[in-house]
Amino acid sequence: QVHLVESGGGLVQAGGSLRLSCVASGRINNINGMAWYRQVPGAQRELVAGISRRGITDYLDSVKGRFTISRDNAKNMVFLQMNNLRPEDTAVYLCEMDVDTGSDYLDYYGQGTQVTVSA
């Protein structure tokens, strides 16, 4: 079993910054892709940013230039630096990892951390 735990969410004013962290634990042989999603009530989960094991990144258009995804392979962690936050960034942010446990290869999600941006 693999568990992902996010941290770093909170309440911030528009224009402010937050740094989200996510750590994976459990039976982990290797982690390939890592990503951050966000979800608001009544809407579909949205891919915010992704990063390959080699560090190739991709971003949702609305966060380009403001958010930066990074990873620490040795610690099984992924980060999301969010700058110049906007009220429309308010959501629950979830990390996702593509984990090779040695016996299977599955996508795992964390429980999420709330980010609220006030106007």
Side-chain angles (χ1 to χ4, degrees), residues 12-76:
V12 64
Q13 288 187 331
S17 298
L18 286 172
R19 179 176 170 84
L20 305 184
S21 300
C22 174
V23 59
S25 61
R27 187 178 177 184
I28 298 169
N29 187 47
N30 187 37
I31 301 177
N32 291 317
M34 296 180 175
W36 287 94
Y37 288 78
R38 65 187 182 189
Q39 188 157 25
V40 297
Q44 285 191 332
R45 188 172 291 181
E46 183 175 54
L47 176 61
V48 176
I51 184 167
S52 71
R53 183 168 180 83
R54 295 185 178 183
I56 299 172
T57 59
D58 193 21
Y59 296 92
L60 181 69
D61 283 347
S62 63
V63 308
K64 286 180 180 177
R66 300 189 296 122
F67 291 10
T68 302
I69 188 171
S70 60
R71 62 189 287 167
D72 185 331
N73 291 330
K75 296 181 179 179
N76 295 330

Side-chain angles (χ1 to χ4, degrees), residues 75-114:
K75 296 181 179 179
N76 295 330
M77 296 188 72
V78 63
F79 308 94
L80 187 67
Q81 177 67 42
M82 305 186 294
N83 298 327
N84 192 20
L85 283 159
R86 304 168 180 169
E88 55 264 38
D89 294 320
T90 295
V92 174
Y93 284 71
L94 307 97
C95 63
E96 180 269 338
M97 297 187 187
D98 306 330
V99 180
D100 175 4
T101 65
S103 59
D104 55 32
Y105 185 77
L106 295 173
D107 295 342
Y108 291 88
Y109 288 84
Q111 292 296 308
T113 184
Q114 176 70 46

